[in-house]
Amino acid sequence: MGSSQSALNFGAGPAKLPSEVLYDVQQEFLSYKNTGMSLIEMSHRSKEYMEINDNAEKAVRELLKVPSNYKILFLQGGGCGTFAAIPLNLMNRTGSADYAVTGTWSAKAAKEAAKYGKYSQNLRDREVFPDESTWTLNPNASYLYYCDNETVDGVEFPKIPNSHDVPLVADMSSIRCYIWRCPKNIGPSGVVVVIVREDLLGNAMKVCPSVLDFTHVAKEKSIHNTPSTFSVYVMEKVLQWIKKNGGVAAMQTQIVPLTIGSEVGLIYHFVGGKNGNESLEAKFVEEAEKLKMYQLKGHRSVGGIRASLYNAITVSDVELLVKFMVEFQKQYGPKP
Amino acid sequence: MGSSQSALNFGAGPAKLPSEVLYDVQQEFLSYKNTGMSLIEMSHRSKEYMEINDNAEKAVRELLKVPSNYKILFLQGGGCGTFAAIPLNLMNRTGSADYAVTGTWSAKAAKEAAKYGKYSQNLRDREVFPDESTWTLNPNASYLYYCDNETVDGVEFPKIPNSHDVPLVADMSSIRCYIWRCPKNIGPSGVVVVIVREDLLGNAMKVCPSVLDFTHVAKEKSIHNTPSTFSVYVMEKVLQWIKKNGGVAAMQTQIVPLTIGSEVGLIYHFVGGKNGNESLEAKFVEEAEKLKMYQLKGHRSVGGIRASLYNAITVSDVELLVKFMVEFQKQYGPKP
């Protein structure tokens, strides 16, 4: 699982990918499986691409132990496209949905949902994670939506919330290995993974674009129109790499939770944010880049510094980052 | 403009790309501009990707001489996504649109448009191209839609139709170098190029997903959410390759129209189709593949044989194909 790259990439997405996978893609880039053609030149209906598509689906099913009554779909349009696809496909049942707004991403999802029906925001306090017992859920909601890891705000759900009899929709895009939408940690941008229970299909609104219609995509096994073939191809390789390296369990335990500043989690925010020192943050980024540590700038909406530790980040990568942080603190932090 | 590849790829899309571009992508795949990171691992808001995005837009503007009052947008979702995006963005003005249905792709576009308003089909006869004077156009239509090259049916518009005072929407995705949606001949799948006049923006329907909202995408310069960064990156390289090789004019004149069977055009359909001999078609594909000529099978909806001659196909590629076809005809065709 080592990195042959010289740079340390802590980007939040697009993010670091396993170096073995990148090397493999490079090796076969001009001639996929000795066809004399690049994979990116081949039809999405060629037997070569159909096999990649099938294998990617099988790998997701195996790695995440997806039951057979759930469909696995590959969509385009990124997380924001899926924010629309969810109400377009699932809100028709009752015309309303519950959104647990705990940060930037769930707020965006709720805003998009408002185009298609009513929604209730349950959790307005973004600073402290609200206790589940205090939520007021609508028993007639078509679904309860939540974002497992709010990467901008640093809010992570401690456990899967109880939605009682209402279907639960989870944005799992920024979990180490777990996936739901943009697989930023299992491939390049351009593909979204949606896992949906079969009995929820068939309820798309009339105004749902075909490319976002889960039922249509499921029927056509994600090749209803030309997908971003390169994205699915690289994702399939990363999924095989995860399998080879011990599966989801290994990805989850590989990095021991480390305490940096006051936050523990898989995405660390430190030095600032809203109350930060912008010139010190710029200095941090500048000094880090001298050591070839990249993409540490916080999300543009909140500033600060952010280090994302997805699947391909190794323990030694983190150790190097911590070492640098400790030294930075010594040099630029408050003197005793 | 020669091909260093051993295979001849006549695919209709994803299709052959210039070998210089593929080689270049391979060379810098592990370390983009000596950053030690692959381009696919870099943030879409990194200065490196922003530059690619800007350069791609500039190159489209320069190559196609796009006036300054037109926006150039890069979307996801392929042609089918754009079939929905067009009525979602442009049909609101009057609630109806005219669709010149001349084949498979315009029929699909019209079907998608029916989700959002009324549309009239003007041209039902797919076999013979209807004379423009026979069309009945609705002067109150929000726009007139047509598909310049119907690649499945082999129908190409001889000239840009006259839409009088109604805005014209053209699907230019399968024209040698001209572009409108999936740039199958200027890059891999995963990105759609939309060129839209500024004064038509700002009219999106309430139910338009943000990712398909032209106004929103234009405002954010096509980086409103994570694009398929690799697709835009390769496209930008192909656009520079076209510029270096004489621009659009050179792409259009490079291949002298050749007559194969009874059809002349940039996409050739021959041996069969609906009235074809399926076993002879299979033989044709099999024999062609022995000579490393690939992706000659016709579209699954009509069968037959199809050779697409996009930008990266050279005259010598076509000569080899013609030579093979003449020999195939001699061996398997009707004996004198």
Side-chain angles (χ1 to χ4, degrees):
Chain A
M1 282 197 240
S3 166
S4 64
Q5 312 278 111
S6 53
L8 297 179
N9 176 358
F10 295 104
K16 191 186 173 190
L17 294 172
S19 49
E20 292 98 309
V21 168
L22 294 176
Y23 182 77
D24 196 19
V25 171
Q26 188 194 39
Q27 286 301 302
E28 66 189 20
F29 191 69
L30 296 183
S31 179
Y32 181 70
K33 291 199 170 177
N34 299 316
T35 53
M37 291 182 275
S38 178
L39 188 273
I40 67 172
E41 299 177 299
M42 298 173 86
S43 168
H44 52 298
R45 299 193 193 277
S46 64
K47 68 175 189 307
E48 289 84 359
Y49 182 75
M50 303 273 264
E51 195 176 296
I52 289 168
N53 185 72
D54 282 357
N55 288 344
E57 192 204 310
K58 276 184 204 140
V60 170
R61 198 173 289 283
E62 189 183 327
L63 281 166
L64 297 182
K65 299 187 177 65
V66 178
S68 60
N69 63 327
Y70 283 73
K71 293 284 186 193
I72 295 165
L73 315 177
F74 304 138
L75 300 184
Q76 290 186 71
C80 290
T82 314
F83 291 162
I86 289 162
L88 279 164
N89 281 279
L90 304 176
M91 215 193 227
N92 230 357
R93 210 166 47 86
T94 70
S96 70
D98 268 338
Y99 275 74
V101 176
T102 55
T104 302
W105 299 115
S106 47
K108 274 184 191 252
K111 194 178 161 200
E112 195 78 10
K115 294 178 178 174
Y116 309 104
K118 289 180 195 165
Y119 78 95
S120 326
Q121 282 190 203
N122 297 101
L123 316 167
R124 290 183 172 274
D125 186 345
R126 296 188 188 184
E127 302 304 322
V128 182
F129 191 84
D131 190 85
E132 215 177 306
S133 65
T134 65
W135 302 7
T136 317
L137 293 175
N138 170 10
N140 292 319
S142 291
Y143 56 87
L144 167 63
Y145 180 101
Y146 82 107
C147 175
D148 200 84
N149 192 8
E150 285 284 2
T151 58
V152 173
D153 313 82
V155 175
E156 191 173 4
F157 268 66
K159 65 179 187 69
I160 295 171
N162 183 352
S163 63
H164 305 282
D165 293 334
V166 166
L168 189 65
V169 175
D171 174 353
M172 290 284 191
S173 63
S174 298
I175 303 300
R176 203 168 160 89
C177 192
Y178 275 125
I179 46 173
W180 172 83
R181 54 176 177 98
C182 325
K184 47 180 73 167
N185 47 351
I186 57 162
S189 59
V191 57
V192 171
V193 179
V194 171
I195 303 173
V196 59
R197 218 173 62 210
E198 271 173 1
D199 63 283
L200 295 172
L201 297 177
N203 296 309
M205 294 180 188
K206 187 201 158 205
V207 294
C208 183
S210 300
V211 291
L212 296 179
D213 183 336
F214 294 166
T215 312
H216 182 63
V217 177
K219 200 178 135 212
E220 302 280 337
K221 294 181 185 298
S222 302
I223 314 190
H224 54 300
N225 73 329
T226 318
S228 182
T229 54
F230 181 82
S231 308
V232 176
Y233 155 72
V234 178
M235 178 177 75
E236 196 270 334
K237 283 194 187 289
V238 176
L239 292 168
Q240 302 304 342
W241 175 87
I242 294 175
K243 274 171 66 178
K244 204 179 77 182
N245 285 285
V248 175
M251 294 297 125
Q252 286 174 320
T253 57
Q254 188 202 337
I255 293 195
V256 208
L258 296 166
T259 305
I260 300 176
S262 61
E263 294 221 26
V264 181
L266 293 172
I267 295 180
Y268 297 92
H269 294 260
F270 50 90
V271 191
K274 273 170 281 185
N275 307 313
N277 176 332
E278 280 187 27
S279 67
L280 202 57
E281 287 164 20
K283 187 79 191 160
F284 185 94
V285 170
E286 187 193 324
E287 294 288 321
E289 291 192 352
K290 284 185 192 161
L291 298 169
K292 295 209 159 210
M293 296 179 182
Y294 297 106
Q295 308 211 93
L296 282 160
K297 209 162 179 287
H299 190 271
R300 66 202 162 106
S301 62
V302 292
I305 300 291
R306 171 168 62 169
S308 297
L309 311 180
Y310 292 132
N311 301 337
I313 302 283
T314 64
V315 173
S316 74
D317 291 349
V318 177
E319 284 168 351
L320 284 167
L321 176 64
V322 171
K323 187 164 169 268
F324 162 66
M325 287 169 67
V326 169
E327 279 162 21
F328 187 87
Q329 170 78 14
K330 267 190 210 153
Q331 192 166 352
Y332 299 98
K335 302 296 173 213
Chain B
M1 283 198 240
S3 167
S4 64
Q5 311 277 111
S6 54
L8 296 180
N9 177 359
F10 295 103
K16 191 185 173 191
L17 294 172
S19 49
E20 293 99 307
V21 168
L22 294 175
Y23 182 75
D24 195 19
V25 171
Q26 188 194 38
Q27 286 302 300
E28 65 188 21
F29 190 69
L30 296 184
S31 180
Y32 181 70
K33 293 199 169 177
N34 298 317
T35 54
M37 291 181 277
S38 179
L39 188 273
I40 66 171
E41 298 177 299
M42 297 173 88
S43 169
H44 52 298
R45 300 194 193 275
S46 65
K47 68 175 188 307
E48 289 84 359
Y49 182 74
M50 304 272 265
E51 195 176 297
I52 290 168
N53 186 71
D54 282 356
N55 289 343
E57 194 204 309
K58 276 183 205 143
V60 170
R61 197 173 292 282
E62 188 184 325
L63 281 166
L64 298 181
K65 300 187 178 62
V66 179
S68 60
N69 63 326
Y70 282 73
K71 293 283 186 192
I72 295 165
L73 315 176
F74 304 138
L75 300 184
Q76 290 186 69
C80 290
T82 314
F83 292 162
I86 289 163
L88 280 163
N89 282 280
L90 304 176
M91 216 195 229
N92 229 357
R93 211 166 47 86
T94 69
S96 70
D98 267 340
Y99 275 72
V101 176
T102 54
T104 302
W105 299 115
S106 47
K108 275 185 192 253
K111 194 178 162 200
E112 196 78 10
K115 294 179 179 175
Y116 308 104
K118 287 181 196 166
Y119 78 94
S120 328
Q121 283 190 204
N122 298 100
L123 316 168
R124 291 183 171 277
D125 187 342
R126 297 189 187 183
E127 302 304 323
V128 181
F129 190 83
D131 189 85
E132 215 178 309
S133 65
T134 66
W135 302 9
T136 317
L137 293 175
N138 171 9
N140 292 318
S142 292
Y143 56 87
L144 166 64
Y145 180 102
Y146 82 107
C147 175
D148 200 86
N149 192 8
E150 285 284 3
T151 58
V152 172
D153 313 81
V155 176
E156 191 173 4
F157 268 66
K159 64 179 186 70
I160 295 171
N162 183 353
S163 63
H164 306 281
D165 294 334
V166 166
L168 189 65
V169 175
D171 175 353
M172 291 282 191
S173 63
S174 297
I175 304 299
R176 200 167 163 89
C177 193
Y178 275 125
I179 47 173
W180 172 81
R181 52 178 178 97
C182 325
K184 47 179 73 166
N185 48 350
I186 57 161
S189 59
V191 59
V192 171
V193 178
V194 171
I195 302 173
V196 60
R197 216 173 63 210
E198 271 174 0
D199 63 281
L200 296 171
L201 297 177
N203 297 309
M205 293 181 188
K206 188 199 157 205
V207 294
C208 183
S210 300
V211 292
L212 297 179
D213 184 336
F214 294 165
T215 314
H216 181 63
V217 176
K219 201 179 134 213
E220 302 280 337
K221 295 181 184 298
S222 302
I223 316 190
H224 53 299
N225 74 329
T226 318
S228 182
T229 54
F230 181 82
S231 307
V232 177
Y233 155 72
V234 178
M235 179 178 74
E236 195 271 334
K237 282 192 187 293
V238 176
L239 293 168
Q240 301 303 344
W241 175 88
I242 293 175
K243 274 170 65 177
K244 206 179 77 184
N245 285 285
V248 174
M251 294 297 126
Q252 285 174 320
T253 57
Q254 187 200 339
I255 292 193
V256 207
L258 296 166
T259 305
I260 300 176
S262 60
E263 296 224 23
V264 181
L266 293 171
I267 294 180
Y268 296 92
H269 293 260
F270 50 90
V271 192
K274 274 171 279 185
N275 307 314
N277 176 333
E278 279 187 28
S279 67
L280 202 55
E281 288 163 20
K283 188 79 190 161
F284 184 93
V285 171
E286 187 192 324
E287 294 289 321
E289 290 192 353
K290 282 184 193 162
L291 298 168
K292 296 209 160 211
M293 295 180 185
Y294 297 107
Q295 308 209 96
L296 282 161
K297 207 161 181 289
H299 190 269
R300 67 203 161 102
S301 62
V302 292
I305 299 290
R306 172 169 59 169
S308 297
L309 312 181
Y310 292 132
N311 301 338
I313 302 283
T314 64
V315 173
S316 74
D317 291 350
V318 178
E319 284 169 352
L320 284 167
L321 176 65
V322 171
K323 184 164 173 265
F324 162 65
M325 286 170 66
V326 169
E327 277 162 21
F328 188 86
Q329 171 78 14
K330 266 189 210 155
Q331 191 166 354
Y332 298 99
K335 302 297 171 212

